[in-house]
Every structure is written in C-alpha cells, then in structure tokens.
Amino acid sequence: MESVLEILSGWRAEGVPCALARVVATRGSSPLAPGTAMAVSATGAMAGGVSGGCVDGAVFTMCGQALDDGRPASAVFGPEGDDPLGAGPTCGGSLEVFVEPLPRGPHPVDRLARLVAQGRPAVAATVLDGPRAGEWAVRGLAGGGDGGGDGGGAGNGDDDGVPPWARGPMATAGAGSADGAVTVVPAEVAGRPGRVAVHRFDPPRLLVFGASAFAEALVPLGAALGYRVTVCDARPVFAAADRFPAAAEVVRCWPHRFLAATGVGPGDAICVLTHDPRFDVPLLVEALRSPAGYVGAMGSRRTHRDRVAELRALGVPEPHLARLRSPIGLDLGAGTAAETALSIAAELVAHRRGGTGSPLADLSRPIHPAPPCTARAGHPVILTKEVS
C-alpha cells in the first residue's frame, strides 16, 4: 500500500483523477493480504495490484467504472462469489475488493500519504457500504501526527476531528495491530448499520549498522519490504546520505550510542554489518538487551565464536546470546554484496512471517497460510455490487 500511496500522491499533485482499489478481506488461501492496493489514473496508468495477476484485470475495469460514474463499488472474487466460474484467485481462496474514485481536490488520503511518507504511524478508516460508502477518516497515532487537517484527527492520537462513526472502529481495530493490518468491523454510520475497514500504518524499523557495500545493497531491499530504514556509521566519509537514497535517515554516530538513545520495538530488526570488534561488541551488548525482534551480525563462524566469547565475558546472559543470528542471512551461496543482502532480506522475511527458509517444493503445508476472515458475519458474498 505504501508504494501505491506514493504514486497516487504524484497523480493527485498533478490534478489527475484516480481510483483506489484495496483488498479488505480474504478467505482461505489468497495470494496477497488485506491492505494490498491498486491505483488507476484517469489517463489509464496503473500502480500496484490486488492479487498477483489473477483478478487484476477485473479490478482495473472496476476502477475505470468508478472513475466514469464517481461511485464506489465492492466485489468478492473466488468460489464464494455469485459467479464461481468468473475471475478469482487460482489458489482457491476468495478476496473482497473495495474500489473508490478519488476526484480532484482535498481528500484524507493526502494526509495519510504524507504521514506514511514521513514514517509516522497512522490509522485510516473507510466506510464500505451504505449511502456514505467511501467516506474516510485519518488519524495520526500517538507520537506520530503532523497536526494537519484534511479530515484526519489530531496528531497526538485523540479524537479531535475524527467523525463519530470512526472513533470506535479506530480504537478497537487499530490498537495493537501490526503494520498494514486491515480489520473490517461493524459500525453505525449516519444512524444505519454498516461496515468500516480500519487500516493501520506503523512501519517497523530496520537499523543497519555499518555503511558498507553490503549496506548499500540491503537498504533498498529493506525499504521495499516495508521497513523504515536507518543507516548508522561513526565514519563521516562512509555515512553519506547520497549513498543511501532509500534510507529514511543516515546517522553519523558511534553505533552503540545511537542504539542506546533510539527506541526499538519487537517488530524492529537490527543488522550489524560493521564487521569490526570496536563497533560490533559494544553495539551487540545494546542490541541483545533491546526488545528488537531480530538481531543479526555479519562475520565468519570463527568471528562469531570469538564475538560470543567476548560478549559472554562482558556478562551478556545466555538467553540474550541465543537471540543472535550470526552469521547473518540464509544459505543462498551468496558471493556478492547484492547476493548477501538478498540472503539477509530473505532471513528478515522468514523471521517476520514465521517461514522456514526451505524450498517451497519441499514443503507440504499451504503456500499462503489462511488468515482469519475479517468480513462481518452475515455479509452477503457477491461478485460485484454498487455500495452507494
């Protein structure tokens, strides 16, 4: 969704009308998760996709129809739709897609795009059905607001400026959700029962220590995976911002001091690529006692043994040492900086999603683990309908 928002913002800045399609719920095996988006401009340009290809053509047509008639619409694709032989995921699951036109002029999506571009946590709510389908509310979460308007709430996470229909769904569905999570909840809108999709944007951080060639290759991969990437190195010549255009920030500081001063959470990842004991050891002392969910360090197996012995001598507890992923990355037979970065990125994905890192051909479990259906019980499953 984040990359689609960036392109969408460019179109809107040029005054081009566009339509936005989002997956709001899935059942069974589905190629892409709720929150996945496609945008289509009035000029026929397209960004993103909602299904990996199997229903994108039908959704593109829906976007064109929304641009023509100015009305939102929803569709359920798959065997549970009214037309089980129509377009649908080839993997056998079903997905509900909500399509809405975004005409010229101010819209809450602009504020959402601004918050996301700045790496600030936010939550967006959209009415999915009834006469007010397509109505939005956007709120910056605590510590992340921009103080702006455009139909959103206050930046400190309170309800100022948020319409009453959005307050309950934002509080119950947005709190504690992971980045990109979408929840569809029942809500009363203008005195009528309906459904509201709540979409949380709270990107995890990827802290890359050591401004090396490996970091140059890893940073754009991390950004593409949805991380807000920070590069830190104490050497001014190496920590040059123009070497890392995809990074949210490049910091010139001793790594352990920077890590001690910045906040990390369980969804964040730390990659130690400095490969120098002067930096590695004090940095890993801080990293292993932080709540970061992933801590990996570059180095040979011999370097790893020596490093662990030094950390142990400094009093780092064994449970903390067991968290260290070193040598960093998965076994891809990497031989270049780009290949090594790919192996690290693959391990980050496996850790974040609970993957094994094994070839899919060797596994018998589903490729796409089925998420819980987020549609409201009793909602009719149909192929296409107008929701205005």
Side-chain angles (χ1 to χ4, degrees):
M1 177 69 170
E2 285 85 348
S3 59
V4 171
L5 276 175
E6 182 179 357
I7 295 171
L8 195 66
S9 294
W11 292 341
R12 290 183 56 76
E14 296 169 1
V16 178
C18 30
L20 176 64
R22 288 175 288 164
V23 178
V24 295
T26 61
R27 283 185 186 271
S29 180
S30 182
L32 294 172
T36 307
M38 171 195 289
V40 176
S41 76
T43 63
M46 184 183 78
V50 296
S51 69
C54 44
V55 301
D56 283 351
V59 173
F60 181 88
T61 300
M62 288 181 65
C63 287
Q65 183 63 41
L67 284 167
D68 289 341
D69 62 26
R71 292 181 293 186
S74 69
V76 173
F77 297 95
E80 295 176 342
D82 278 350
D83 183 4
L85 299 180
T90 57
C91 47
S94 299
L95 66 157
E96 181 180 359
V97 179
F98 182 75
V99 177
E100 58 189 310
L102 299 175
R104 296 184 182 92
H107 189 280
V109 74
D110 302 320
R111 180 168 183 249
L112 176 63
R114 183 168 66 249
L115 288 167
V116 170
Q118 295 170 349
R120 298 181 177 185
V123 61
T126 308
V127 181
L128 296 182
D129 37 35
R132 294 173 69 172
E135 184 172 335
W136 278 55
V138 172
R139 185 178 70 182
L141 298 178
D146 62 350
D150 298 339
N156 60 8
D158 62 32
D159 284 330
D160 292 348
V162 175
W165 62 261
R167 295 176 185 175
M170 281 182 164
T172 60
S177 300
D179 175 58
V182 175
T183 309
V184 178
V185 297
E188 186 173 292
V189 182
R192 294 181 52 175
R195 297 180 305 145
V196 171
V198 182
H199 196 165
R200 183 182 176 95
F201 297 84
D202 191 3
R205 300 182 70 191
L206 172 60
L207 304 178
V208 179
F209 293 96
S212 63
F214 298 103
E216 283 187 298
L218 178 60
V219 166
L221 291 178
L225 292 175
Y227 288 96
R228 179 172 171 81
V229 185
T230 294
V231 178
C232 177
D233 198 301
R235 301 163 295 183
V237 174
F238 288 82
D242 58 2
R243 292 182 63 200
F244 305 98
E249 59 180 347
V250 178
V251 178
R252 297 175 184 176
C253 182
W254 276 83
H256 69 286
R257 293 175 183 168
F258 172 74
L259 183 57
T262 194
V264 295
D268 299 331
I270 296 172
C271 293
V272 179
L273 310 182
T274 44
H275 205 249
D276 184 330
R278 295 176 302 162
F279 301 109
D280 292 356
V281 173
L283 172 58
L284 286 171
V285 170
E286 289 292 337
L288 292 173
R289 69 185 182 189
S290 79
Y294 175 97
V295 179
M298 177 171 284
S300 67
R301 298 188 190 284
R302 177 179 177 179
T303 298
H304 172 67
R305 287 193 298 269
D306 293 344
R307 185 190 286 141
V308 168
E310 191 165 355
L311 291 169
R312 188 175 286 121
L314 290 171
V316 177
E318 293 299 323
H320 290 190
L321 291 174
R323 297 178 54 214
L324 178 59
R325 293 171 179 259
S326 177
I328 194 172
L330 299 183
D331 177 19
L332 304 183
T336 67
E339 291 171 350
T340 300
L342 179 61
S343 79
I344 297 170
E347 187 172 53
L348 287 172
V349 173
H351 170 78
R352 188 176 177 184
R353 302 298 185 187
T356 65
S358 301
L360 289 173
D362 294 344
L363 301 178
S364 58
R365 66 171 177 80
I367 296 174
H368 307 295
C373 177
T374 55
R376 178 172 59 89
H379 175 63
V381 180
I382 57 178
L383 181 65
T384 304
K385 73 165 185 174
E386 292 182 357
V387 294
S388 57

